[in-house]
Each structure stands twice: as C-alpha cells, then as structure tokens.
Amino acid sequence: MPKRRPRTPAAPTARKSAARGKAPLWSKLVLTFGAVLMMIAGTSIVMLRSVVGTLEDAVDLAGADVLAGPSGQAVPDAKALKGSFDVLLLGIDIRPGQKADDARSDTIIIVHVSGTHQEAYLMSVPRDVRVEIPGKDHRKINGAFQAGLGPQGDWKGGLKAATQAISKLTGITFEAAAVIDFNGFNKIITALGSVRMCVEDDTKSIHHFVINGKPKYVGGMADAKEADRYADRTGNQRFVHKKGCRDMQAWEALDFARQRYLPDNSTDYGRQRHQQQLIQAIVSKATSAGVLTDLGKVNDLIRAAGESMLLSLPQGMEVIDFFFALQDLAAADLVSLKTNAGWFNGYKIDGESFEDINDESKLMFKAAALDKLGEFIALYPNFVNRKP
C-alpha cells in the first residue's frame, strides 16, 4: 500500500434525507467502492458529525485529472451527477513481498446509474481484453493500471492510465473512479461479520487447502492442475466451497469470488459473476437495518474501506458534498450484467491469449454511455446475471 497522499480539507454540508426508513441508493453504491454514508432518519447532529469526520479522515482522494473521457476531453464537473453517471471500480490484489510497480487490476467493474436515479447496473470488463495503453503499447486491459504506476507504485497514476484505457475501450466517460486493494474488501467484510453468498456447484479452491482439519491459505498456485499436484504431493486436499447459500466469513467469500476454475467451465466470466454477487452481498448486509442503525459499525466500515482505497471525484466536488449530493435517491436493486453474455470469446497473438468484446457487448457499453441500458436489457435479456 503506498504512503498516504495529502488530502484537501472538505467543507461538510448536511441535509436530511427525504426517503425516511430506506437506505438511499447512493449509500449502497458508495459501499461498492469503499465508503458508506450514514443516512438514518432522526440522526442527531452529533452522530452525523462523527460519521462525517470519519469519512473525511478515511477516504484518500486523487485529483479530477484522473477522469478523462474516451477522446481525452475535459473531465466531468460536479453538475454531471444530476443526470446519469458512471463510476469505475478497480480491484487489485497486492501480496506480501510484491513489488510496488507490479499491481494489476484483475477486477474491473463499471457502475452505471440512470438519469432518473432509479436504476443502477454493474458491468464487468474481462481482464484479458487487448487494448492500447496511452503512451505505452498494446497489452491486456488489467495491465493498464500497472502501466501507470511508475517505479514508486503511484496508485493515482495507475488509476488514471486504467480509466483512460477503459474509457476508450467502452466509450464511457466516468464521473468518479476508485481503486481498492483486496485487503480492503477483506476488512469491509470482517467489519460486517459475514456476507451471504450462494454457490451454484461444489467448487474446489486453488488457494485454500484443508491442513490439520482446517482451511488454510496456500499461495503460489497458478491453476487447478498445480493445485491438484500440490494436493497429491502433500496429502492436503483442496478446500471445497459446497453448493448452497450461506453466510460466509471474509476469507471464504473472497476466496470463492476469486475462483475461475469452475465446474461449469465459465472461467473468468464465472469469476466476474461471483465478484458482482459479492458486491451485492456486501451492499445487502451493509444497508441492513442492523448495520445502518449502529454508528460504531458504520464508522468501522468507513475506516476499513478507506485504509485500502483511492477515490477520484468530479471536478470541483469535495468528498462530503459528493456523498450528500445524492442522499435523496430512492432505494433500488443493483442489476448485474455479463459481458459477452458470459461466453468465452478468445483469440491468440504470438501465442498469448486475449479476450475480445463481441458486438452485443459493444452495444451494452454504448447503451450505458447513452443511458439506454433498460432498452438494451429488453433486447438482450441473456446479458442479465440471474440471482442464484
């Protein structure tokens, strides 16, 4: 994790939510990229100030220059959030001993909110899509973040490079963007206690093995074959995520969401589906009454998220204003969409495997840019990830 960057002091403002008794949509969405807004009817000003202070202290900000459109046009300003808007979420996994300039964004999720603020959609970008990195060369899209890090591992540079590459690929201009480390999700779920996840079929982990009767993380496994060889050599069997729905602790939920050697052979598309399911599970738990009415837990969530997250906001908008600006949004479900309708669409160049975006997926991204995803889903219902 890079050193903390200096932040600009925010001028907090507060307005009461018009939607009493409901968790506003934005309180759900901000949790997706690492923060939560306390919006409880009847909250005293002392409690509200406590949460605002935690939010200001926890959230690490990058400048608005990170947010460039597909053609490199000027970044959006704060007024853009009054209509439809798009947020880019990057998930990275920094392991102990890993070099600062070697992080890749293996999780790439676009959150689109409609102009009415009544619908929100999650779309994933396959990590193996081949793109041109501005100022670099052609490589997989998950390498865009790494290309911008520089030798010191500057997350802002990585986020900027990834945002520009993904914006150019999809045609979407992002009003906000965030990067969060794997460890950040771990802390969020730990603060929540557990999240409810559903496993479609028994799934063997390539990361966790049963050692002395207990699941234990074992690093360095490249694929399922290597995991099987390790099991044969040591006698320690691979941990199995059993079919069914249940409350999972952080290690189990995150391990399941990271698997891509799946029984249905959906590979990275299955992993994208499970990552989106994990986000929905975090949102569901975090916006439940037992969490939103617990000030201590809300503060714990904000701190847990902020420790491993970097956020870029619209031009001219402070972090507190950003969260309060959308407090009156009505509650709504997050609709999970699958790029390429969940089908592998690969090819090779000089022996290296890449993934291509099919024509229907290009239409999906265009529909998001035009705020027409509702119409797209009506024409292509097979792009919707059904809830397990």
Side-chain angles (χ1 to χ4, degrees):
M1 175 73 189
K3 293 181 178 179
R4 304 290 287 183
R5 290 158 286 277
R7 57 179 95 248
T8 303
T13 61
R15 293 176 293 171
K16 291 183 179 179
S17 173
R20 293 182 178 271
K22 289 185 177 181
L25 173 60
W26 191 244
S27 72
K28 296 180 179 182
L29 295 182
V30 294
L31 256 167
T32 303
F33 56 85
V36 65
L37 181 60
M38 184 72 164
M39 281 297 147
I40 306 170
T43 301
S44 71
I45 191 64
V46 174
M47 292 177 66
L48 188 58
R49 282 176 176 169
S50 175
V51 175
V52 167
T54 303
L55 187 62
E56 286 181 319
D57 184 61
V59 177
D60 206 1
L61 295 177
D65 60 313
V66 166
L67 305 169
S71 302
Q73 66 263 35
V75 298
D77 60 25
K79 295 179 181 178
L81 297 184
K82 294 184 178 180
S84 64
F85 62 93
D86 297 273
V87 179
L88 177 64
L89 168 66
L90 302 179
I92 62 175
D93 189 1
I94 299 179
R95 309 296 179 88
Q98 184 173 326
K99 294 182 179 179
D101 62 351
D102 193 32
R104 295 175 181 269
S105 55
D106 284 341
T107 299
I108 303 172
I109 294 177
I110 297 169
V111 182
H112 175 79
V113 178
S114 69
T116 64
H117 292 186
Q118 298 296 311
E119 302 88 21
Y121 304 86
L122 300 177
M123 298 170 286
S124 292
V125 178
R127 67 176 189 171
D128 291 340
V129 172
R130 186 174 185 265
V131 297
E132 181 179 1
I133 309 299
K136 301 291 182 178
D137 53 10
H138 285 84
R139 63 183 69 178
K140 294 179 179 180
I141 191 70
N142 71 336
F145 182 80
Q146 188 272 335
L149 285 174
Q152 301 302 317
D154 177 21
W155 280 22
K156 177 182 175 181
L159 183 56
K160 183 175 183 178
T163 301
Q164 291 177 346
I166 296 165
S167 183
K168 186 175 181 180
L169 172 71
T170 62
I172 295 172
T173 298
F174 297 104
E175 280 71 31
V179 55
I180 185 168
D181 186 12
F182 175 85
N183 191 44
F185 283 106
N186 186 29
K187 291 179 179 179
I188 290 171
I189 300 172
T190 298
L192 288 170
S194 65
V195 290
R196 189 163 185 80
M197 295 284 287
C198 292
V199 180
E200 300 97 329
D201 296 290
D202 287 2
T203 302
K204 291 183 178 181
S205 174
I206 68 167
H207 306 117
H208 280 80
F209 290 75
V210 180
I211 300 176
N212 295 327
K214 296 182 179 181
K216 183 177 180 180
Y217 175 80
V218 177
M221 302 297 163
D223 52 35
K225 291 182 179 179
E226 185 174 351
D228 284 336
R229 288 195 295 268
Y230 176 87
D232 291 340
R233 185 173 68 253
T234 63
N236 299 318
Q237 297 303 306
R238 294 166 62 182
F239 177 79
V240 178
H241 296 276
K242 292 293 186 179
K243 179 179 179 179
C245 299
R246 58 187 171 277
D247 292 337
M248 294 186 181
Q249 294 181 349
W251 73 266
E252 184 179 3
L254 290 166
D255 185 67
F256 175 62
R258 296 172 71 193
Q259 303 305 315
R260 68 172 184 154
Y261 299 96
L262 301 168
D264 64 358
N265 295 318
S266 57
T267 61
D268 198 47
Y269 288 103
R271 182 168 66 169
Q272 291 170 29
R273 181 176 71 251
H274 297 150
Q275 288 170 346
Q276 291 184 5
Q277 183 194 163
L278 177 62
I279 287 175
Q280 290 171 312
I282 292 173
V283 164
S284 178
K285 182 66 174 287
T287 56
S288 63
V291 174
L292 283 180
T293 55
D294 187 333
L295 179 62
K297 184 157 288 190
V298 170
N299 275 289
D300 289 344
L301 280 170
I302 294 172
R303 293 191 187 96
E307 288 177 3
S308 302
M309 185 267 287
L310 175 68
L311 173 66
S312 181
L313 298 179
Q315 183 72 28
M317 180 169 275
E318 301 288 354
V319 61
I320 299 302
D321 296 320
F322 180 58
F323 292 119
F324 276 107
L326 299 170
Q327 63 178 294
D328 293 331
L329 293 175
D333 289 333
L334 298 178
V335 180
S336 173
L337 303 178
K338 46 188 175 182
T339 309
N340 289 351
W343 291 94
F344 185 66
N345 192 31
Y347 65 100
K348 289 187 177 182
I349 295 179
D350 297 330
E352 185 175 5
S353 297
F354 295 93
E355 183 72 356
D356 200 10
I357 299 292
N358 65 19
D359 291 340
E360 290 80 8
S361 296
K362 292 175 183 177
L363 286 175
M364 179 182 71
F365 292 132
K366 184 175 181 179
L370 297 174
D371 193 24
K372 300 289 185 182
L373 275 175
E375 290 89 334
F376 174 84
I377 289 173
L379 293 172
Y380 300 97
N382 58 320
F383 271 66
V384 178
N385 276 315
R386 303 301 176 186
K387 292 183 178 180

PDB file of all heavy atoms in Angstrom, residues 25 80-85 112-121 326 328-332 370-372 374-375:
ATOM      1  N   LEU A  25     -30.034   4.786  -2.458  1.00  0.00           N
ATOM      2  CA  LEU A  25     -29.245   4.050  -3.440  1.00  0.00           C
ATOM      3  C   LEU A  25     -27.770   4.400  -3.329  1.00  0.00           C
ATOM      4  O   LEU A  25     -26.913   3.534  -3.409  1.00  0.00           O
ATOM      5  CB  LEU A  25     -29.759   4.365  -4.848  1.00  0.00           C
ATOM      6  CG  LEU A  25     -28.945   3.806  -6.013  1.00  0.00           C
ATOM      7  CD1 LEU A  25     -28.876   2.291  -5.940  1.00  0.00           C
ATOM      8  CD2 LEU A  25     -29.555   4.244  -7.338  1.00  0.00           C
ATOM      9  N   ALA A  80     -22.471  16.997 -13.413  1.00  0.00           N
ATOM     10  CA  ALA A  80     -22.753  15.775 -14.168  1.00  0.00           C
ATOM     11  C   ALA A  80     -23.549  14.771 -13.353  1.00  0.00           C
ATOM     12  O   ALA A  80     -24.266  13.940 -13.908  1.00  0.00           O
ATOM     13  CB  ALA A  80     -21.448  15.140 -14.638  1.00  0.00           C
ATOM     14  N   LEU A  81     -23.454  14.827 -12.034  1.00  0.00           N
ATOM     15  CA  LEU A  81     -24.132  13.851 -11.187  1.00  0.00           C
ATOM     16  C   LEU A  81     -25.636  14.092 -11.091  1.00  0.00           C
ATOM     17  O   LEU A  81     -26.352  13.290 -10.513  1.00  0.00           O
ATOM     18  CB  LEU A  81     -23.518  13.860  -9.789  1.00  0.00           C
ATOM     19  CG  LEU A  81     -22.050  13.448  -9.702  1.00  0.00           C
ATOM     20  CD1 LEU A  81     -21.610  13.410  -8.248  1.00  0.00           C
ATOM     21  CD2 LEU A  81     -21.802  12.118 -10.364  1.00  0.00           C
ATOM     22  N   LYS A  82     -26.133  15.172 -11.675  1.00  0.00           N
ATOM     23  CA  LYS A  82     -27.567  15.428 -11.647  1.00  0.00           C
ATOM     24  C   LYS A  82     -28.310  14.585 -12.664  1.00  0.00           C
ATOM     25  O   LYS A  82     -29.524  14.437 -12.581  1.00  0.00           O
ATOM     26  CB  LYS A  82     -27.833  16.917 -11.877  1.00  0.00           C
ATOM     27  CG  LYS A  82     -27.323  17.802 -10.746  1.00  0.00           C
ATOM     28  CD  LYS A  82     -27.678  19.259 -10.965  1.00  0.00           C
ATOM     29  CE  LYS A  82     -27.189  20.115  -9.795  1.00  0.00           C
ATOM     30  NZ  LYS A  82     -27.527  21.550  -9.964  1.00  0.00           N
ATOM     31  N   GLY A  83     -27.610  14.045 -13.657  1.00  0.00           N
ATOM     32  CA  GLY A  83     -28.218  13.145 -14.621  1.00  0.00           C
ATOM     33  C   GLY A  83     -27.665  11.752 -14.428  1.00  0.00           C
ATOM     34  O   GLY A  83     -27.334  11.340 -13.326  1.00  0.00           O
ATOM     35  N   SER A  84     -27.574  10.990 -15.529  1.00  0.00           N
ATOM     36  CA  SER A  84     -26.952   9.670 -15.429  1.00  0.00           C
ATOM     37  C   SER A  84     -25.456   9.841 -15.200  1.00  0.00           C
ATOM     38  O   SER A  84     -24.861  10.857 -15.573  1.00  0.00           O
ATOM     39  CB  SER A  84     -27.202   8.876 -16.716  1.00  0.00           C
ATOM     40  OG  SER A  84     -26.566   9.505 -17.817  1.00  0.00           O
ATOM     41  N   PHE A  85     -24.844   8.856 -14.577  1.00  0.00           N
ATOM     42  CA  PHE A  85     -23.401   8.923 -14.360  1.00  0.00           C
ATOM     43  C   PHE A  85     -22.830   7.520 -14.238  1.00  0.00           C
ATOM     44  O   PHE A  85     -23.549   6.542 -14.037  1.00  0.00           O
ATOM     45  CB  PHE A  85     -23.043   9.768 -13.129  1.00  0.00           C
ATOM     46  CG  PHE A  85     -23.570   9.233 -11.831  1.00  0.00           C
ATOM     47  CD1 PHE A  85     -22.796   8.393 -11.038  1.00  0.00           C
ATOM     48  CD2 PHE A  85     -24.837   9.580 -11.392  1.00  0.00           C
ATOM     49  CE1 PHE A  85     -23.275   7.902  -9.840  1.00  0.00           C
ATOM     50  CE2 PHE A  85     -25.330   9.089 -10.181  1.00  0.00           C
ATOM     51  CZ  PHE A  85     -24.542   8.249  -9.412  1.00  0.00           C
ATOM     52  N   HIS A 112     -23.194   1.895 -13.538  1.00  0.00           N
ATOM     53  CA  HIS A 112     -23.956   2.920 -14.260  1.00  0.00           C
ATOM     54  C   HIS A 112     -25.240   3.225 -13.502  1.00  0.00           C
ATOM     55  O   HIS A 112     -25.994   2.320 -13.150  1.00  0.00           O
ATOM     56  CB  HIS A 112     -24.311   2.454 -15.674  1.00  0.00           C
ATOM     57  CG  HIS A 112     -25.202   3.429 -16.401  1.00  0.00           C
ATOM     58  ND1 HIS A 112     -24.722   4.573 -16.979  1.00  0.00           N
ATOM     59  CD2 HIS A 112     -26.556   3.435 -16.602  1.00  0.00           C
ATOM     60  CE1 HIS A 112     -25.727   5.247 -17.523  1.00  0.00           C
ATOM     61  NE2 HIS A 112     -26.850   4.580 -17.305  1.00  0.00           N
ATOM     62  N   VAL A 113     -25.479   4.506 -13.238  1.00  0.00           N
ATOM     63  CA  VAL A 113     -26.709   4.960 -12.603  1.00  0.00           C
ATOM     64  C   VAL A 113     -27.516   5.736 -13.634  1.00  0.00           C
ATOM     65  O   VAL A 113     -26.991   6.642 -14.297  1.00  0.00           O
ATOM     66  CB  VAL A 113     -26.413   5.846 -11.376  1.00  0.00           C
ATOM     67  CG1 VAL A 113     -27.707   6.361 -10.753  1.00  0.00           C
ATOM     68  CG2 VAL A 113     -25.605   5.074 -10.346  1.00  0.00           C
ATOM     69  N   SER A 114     -28.790   5.394 -13.793  1.00  0.00           N
ATOM     70  CA  SER A 114     -29.626   6.017 -14.813  1.00  0.00           C
ATOM     71  C   SER A 114     -29.921   7.475 -14.477  1.00  0.00           C
ATOM     72  O   SER A 114     -29.751   7.920 -13.335  1.00  0.00           O
ATOM     73  CB  SER A 114     -30.944   5.259 -14.953  1.00  0.00           C
ATOM     74  OG  SER A 114     -31.750   5.447 -13.797  1.00  0.00           O
ATOM     75  N   GLY A 115     -30.384   8.209 -15.489  1.00  0.00           N
ATOM     76  CA  GLY A 115     -30.688   9.619 -15.295  1.00  0.00           C
ATOM     77  C   GLY A 115     -31.794   9.867 -14.297  1.00  0.00           C
ATOM     78  O   GLY A 115     -31.838  10.927 -13.655  1.00  0.00           O
ATOM     79  N   THR A 116     -32.676   8.893 -14.125  1.00  0.00           N
ATOM     80  CA  THR A 116     -33.742   9.026 -13.128  1.00  0.00           C
ATOM     81  C   THR A 116     -33.269   8.683 -11.726  1.00  0.00           C
ATOM     82  O   THR A 116     -33.981   8.921 -10.753  1.00  0.00           O
ATOM     83  CB  THR A 116     -34.923   8.104 -13.480  1.00  0.00           C
ATOM     84  OG1 THR A 116     -34.484   6.735 -13.420  1.00  0.00           O
ATOM     85  CG2 THR A 116     -35.465   8.414 -14.868  1.00  0.00           C
ATOM     86  N   HIS A 117     -32.078   8.111 -11.617  1.00  0.00           N
ATOM     87  CA  HIS A 117     -31.513   7.638 -10.345  1.00  0.00           C
ATOM     88  C   HIS A 117     -32.383   6.558  -9.709  1.00  0.00           C
ATOM     89  O   HIS A 117     -32.360   6.383  -8.488  1.00  0.00           O
ATOM     90  CB  HIS A 117     -31.305   8.802  -9.372  1.00  0.00           C
ATOM     91  CG  HIS A 117     -30.228   9.741  -9.803  1.00  0.00           C
ATOM     92  ND1 HIS A 117     -29.782  10.784  -9.019  1.00  0.00           N
ATOM     93  CD2 HIS A 117     -29.501   9.813 -10.947  1.00  0.00           C
ATOM     94  CE1 HIS A 117     -28.827  11.453  -9.658  1.00  0.00           C
ATOM     95  NE2 HIS A 117     -28.643  10.878 -10.840  1.00  0.00           N
ATOM     96  N   GLN A 118     -33.117   5.823 -10.550  1.00  0.00           N
ATOM     97  CA  GLN A 118     -33.962   4.735 -10.056  1.00  0.00           C
ATOM     98  C   GLN A 118     -33.356   3.368 -10.359  1.00  0.00           C
ATOM     99  O   GLN A 118     -33.782   2.369  -9.799  1.00  0.00           O
ATOM    100  CB  GLN A 118     -35.355   4.812 -10.701  1.00  0.00           C
ATOM    101  CG  GLN A 118     -36.117   6.081 -10.375  1.00  0.00           C
ATOM    102  CD  GLN A 118     -36.436   6.206  -8.898  1.00  0.00           C
ATOM    103  OE1 GLN A 118     -36.942   5.273  -8.290  1.00  0.00           O
ATOM    104  NE2 GLN A 118     -36.125   7.352  -8.322  1.00  0.00           N
ATOM    105  N   GLU A 119     -32.399   3.304 -11.273  1.00  0.00           N
ATOM    106  CA  GLU A 119     -31.765   2.037 -11.646  1.00  0.00           C
ATOM    107  C   GLU A 119     -30.251   2.178 -11.574  1.00  0.00           C
ATOM    108  O   GLU A 119     -29.702   3.238 -11.859  1.00  0.00           O
ATOM    109  CB  GLU A 119     -32.163   1.608 -13.066  1.00  0.00           C
ATOM    110  CG  GLU A 119     -33.649   1.444 -13.304  1.00  0.00           C
ATOM    111  CD  GLU A 119     -34.316   2.717 -13.729  1.00  0.00           C
ATOM    112  OE1 GLU A 119     -33.606   3.615 -14.218  1.00  0.00           O
ATOM    113  OE2 GLU A 119     -35.547   2.837 -13.564  1.00  0.00           O
ATOM    114  N   ALA A 120     -29.607   1.078 -11.201  1.00  0.00           N
ATOM    115  CA  ALA A 120     -28.144   1.019 -11.200  1.00  0.00           C
ATOM    116  C   ALA A 120     -27.713  -0.338 -11.742  1.00  0.00           C
ATOM    117  O   ALA A 120     -28.351  -1.355 -11.466  1.00  0.00           O
ATOM    118  CB  ALA A 120     -27.594   1.228  -9.791  1.00  0.00           C
ATOM    119  N   TYR A 121     -26.640  -0.349 -12.517  1.00  0.00           N
ATOM    120  CA  TYR A 121     -26.202  -1.564 -13.202  1.00  0.00           C
ATOM    121  C   TYR A 121     -24.711  -1.802 -12.938  1.00  0.00           C
ATOM    122  O   TYR A 121     -23.923  -0.852 -12.853  1.00  0.00           O
ATOM    123  CB  TYR A 121     -26.414  -1.432 -14.711  1.00  0.00           C
ATOM    124  CG  TYR A 121     -27.827  -1.106 -15.119  1.00  0.00           C
ATOM    125  CD1 TYR A 121     -28.259   0.221 -15.169  1.00  0.00           C
ATOM    126  CD2 TYR A 121     -28.741  -2.102 -15.449  1.00  0.00           C
ATOM    127  CE1 TYR A 121     -29.567   0.542 -15.535  1.00  0.00           C
ATOM    128  CE2 TYR A 121     -30.042  -1.797 -15.827  1.00  0.00           C
ATOM    129  CZ  TYR A 121     -30.450  -0.472 -15.864  1.00  0.00           C
ATOM    130  OH  TYR A 121     -31.737  -0.161 -16.235  1.00  0.00           O
ATOM    131  N   LEU A 326     -26.280  13.170  -3.246  1.00  0.00           N
ATOM    132  CA  LEU A 326     -27.177  12.150  -3.775  1.00  0.00           C
ATOM    133  C   LEU A 326     -27.953  11.427  -2.682  1.00  0.00           C
ATOM    134  O   LEU A 326     -28.422  10.319  -2.870  1.00  0.00           O
ATOM    135  CB  LEU A 326     -26.365  11.148  -4.605  1.00  0.00           C
ATOM    136  CG  LEU A 326     -25.662  11.790  -5.803  1.00  0.00           C
ATOM    137  CD1 LEU A 326     -24.692  10.807  -6.418  1.00  0.00           C
ATOM    138  CD2 LEU A 326     -26.665  12.261  -6.829  1.00  0.00           C
ATOM    139  N   ASP A 328     -30.888  11.780  -1.570  1.00  0.00           N
ATOM    140  CA  ASP A 328     -32.323  11.599  -1.743  1.00  0.00           C
ATOM    141  C   ASP A 328     -32.689  10.555  -2.795  1.00  0.00           C
ATOM    142  O   ASP A 328     -33.857  10.412  -3.153  1.00  0.00           O
ATOM    143  CB  ASP A 328     -32.979  12.934  -2.122  1.00  0.00           C
ATOM    144  CG  ASP A 328     -32.905  13.942  -0.976  1.00  0.00           C
ATOM    145  OD1 ASP A 328     -32.888  13.496   0.187  1.00  0.00           O
ATOM    146  OD2 ASP A 328     -32.856  15.146  -1.251  1.00  0.00           O
ATOM    147  N   LEU A 329     -31.704   9.820  -3.292  1.00  0.00           N
ATOM    148  CA  LEU A 329     -32.000   8.782  -4.275  1.00  0.00           C
ATOM    149  C   LEU A 329     -32.859   7.684  -3.652  1.00  0.00           C
ATOM    150  O   LEU A 329     -32.654   7.264  -2.520  1.00  0.00           O
ATOM    151  CB  LEU A 329     -30.704   8.167  -4.795  1.00  0.00           C
ATOM    152  CG  LEU A 329     -29.805   9.086  -5.643  1.00  0.00           C
ATOM    153  CD1 LEU A 329     -28.519   8.380  -5.982  1.00  0.00           C
ATOM    154  CD2 LEU A 329     -30.522   9.523  -6.898  1.00  0.00           C
ATOM    155  N   ALA A 330     -33.807   7.196  -4.422  1.00  0.00           N
ATOM    156  CA  ALA A 330     -34.679   6.120  -3.931  1.00  0.00           C
ATOM    157  C   ALA A 330     -33.921   4.808  -3.898  1.00  0.00           C
ATOM    158  O   ALA A 330     -32.978   4.591  -4.661  1.00  0.00           O
ATOM    159  CB  ALA A 330     -35.897   5.996  -4.834  1.00  0.00           C
ATOM    160  N   ALA A 331     -34.349   3.908  -3.006  1.00  0.00           N
ATOM    161  CA  ALA A 331     -33.723   2.592  -2.930  1.00  0.00           C
ATOM    162  C   ALA A 331     -33.992   1.815  -4.206  1.00  0.00           C
ATOM    163  O   ALA A 331     -35.057   1.899  -4.795  1.00  0.00           O
ATOM    164  CB  ALA A 331     -34.272   1.833  -1.722  1.00  0.00           C
ATOM    165  N   ALA A 332     -33.002   1.063  -4.656  1.00  0.00           N
ATOM    166  CA  ALA A 332     -33.162   0.264  -5.884  1.00  0.00           C
ATOM    167  C   ALA A 332     -32.185  -0.893  -5.858  1.00  0.00           C
ATOM    168  O   ALA A 332     -31.173  -0.862  -5.171  1.00  0.00           O
ATOM    169  CB  ALA A 332     -32.915   1.132  -7.113  1.00  0.00           C
ATOM    170  N   LEU A 370     -25.135   6.157 -23.392  1.00  0.00           N
ATOM    171  CA  LEU A 370     -26.316   6.928 -23.793  1.00  0.00           C
ATOM    172  C   LEU A 370     -27.447   6.843 -22.771  1.00  0.00           C
ATOM    173  O   LEU A 370     -28.533   7.379 -23.009  1.00  0.00           O
ATOM    174  CB  LEU A 370     -26.816   6.417 -25.152  1.00  0.00           C
ATOM    175  CG  LEU A 370     -25.855   6.570 -26.330  1.00  0.00           C
ATOM    176  CD1 LEU A 370     -26.421   5.894 -27.571  1.00  0.00           C
ATOM    177  CD2 LEU A 370     -25.561   8.038 -26.600  1.00  0.00           C
ATOM    178  N   ASP A 371     -27.209   6.152 -21.656  1.00  0.00           N
ATOM    179  CA  ASP A 371     -28.223   5.916 -20.628  1.00  0.00           C
ATOM    180  C   ASP A 371     -29.428   5.179 -21.200  1.00  0.00           C
ATOM    181  O   ASP A 371     -30.588   5.568 -20.987  1.00  0.00           O
ATOM    182  CB  ASP A 371     -28.660   7.240 -19.986  1.00  0.00           C
ATOM    183  CG  ASP A 371     -29.470   7.013 -18.698  1.00  0.00           C
ATOM    184  OD1 ASP A 371     -29.308   5.937 -18.083  1.00  0.00           O
ATOM    185  OD2 ASP A 371     -30.262   7.903 -18.332  1.00  0.00           O
ATOM    186  N   LYS A 372     -29.154   4.094 -21.925  1.00  0.00           N
ATOM    187  CA  LYS A 372     -30.201   3.290 -22.549  1.00  0.00           C
ATOM    188  C   LYS A 372     -30.105   1.816 -22.139  1.00  0.00           C
ATOM    189  O   LYS A 372     -30.525   0.934 -22.886  1.00  0.00           O
ATOM    190  CB  LYS A 372     -30.109   3.403 -24.080  1.00  0.00           C
ATOM    191  CG  LYS A 372     -30.261   4.809 -24.630  1.00  0.00           C
ATOM    192  CD  LYS A 372     -31.685   5.323 -24.505  1.00  0.00           C
ATOM    193  CE  LYS A 372     -31.856   6.672 -25.173  1.00  0.00           C
ATOM    194  NZ  LYS A 372     -33.235   7.196 -25.024  1.00  0.00           N
ATOM    195  N   GLY A 374     -31.734   0.113 -19.954  1.00  0.00           N
ATOM    196  CA  GLY A 374     -33.035  -0.526 -19.822  1.00  0.00           C
ATOM    197  C   GLY A 374     -33.517  -1.073 -21.147  1.00  0.00           C
ATOM    198  O   GLY A 374     -34.004  -2.211 -21.230  1.00  0.00           O
ATOM    199  N   GLU A 375     -33.367  -0.285 -22.215  1.00  0.00           N
ATOM    200  CA  GLU A 375     -33.745  -0.729 -23.551  1.00  0.00           C
ATOM    201  C   GLU A 375     -32.858  -1.878 -24.027  1.00  0.00           C
ATOM    202  O   GLU A 375     -33.337  -2.825 -24.659  1.00  0.00           O
ATOM    203  CB  GLU A 375     -33.667   0.432 -24.541  1.00  0.00           C
ATOM    204  CG  GLU A 375     -34.740   1.493 -24.345  1.00  0.00           C
ATOM    205  CD  GLU A 375     -34.312   2.582 -23.375  1.00  0.00           C
ATOM    206  OE1 GLU A 375     -33.462   2.305 -22.498  1.00  0.00           O
ATOM    207  OE2 GLU A 375     -34.843   3.704 -23.483  1.00  0.00           O
TER     208      GLU A 375
END
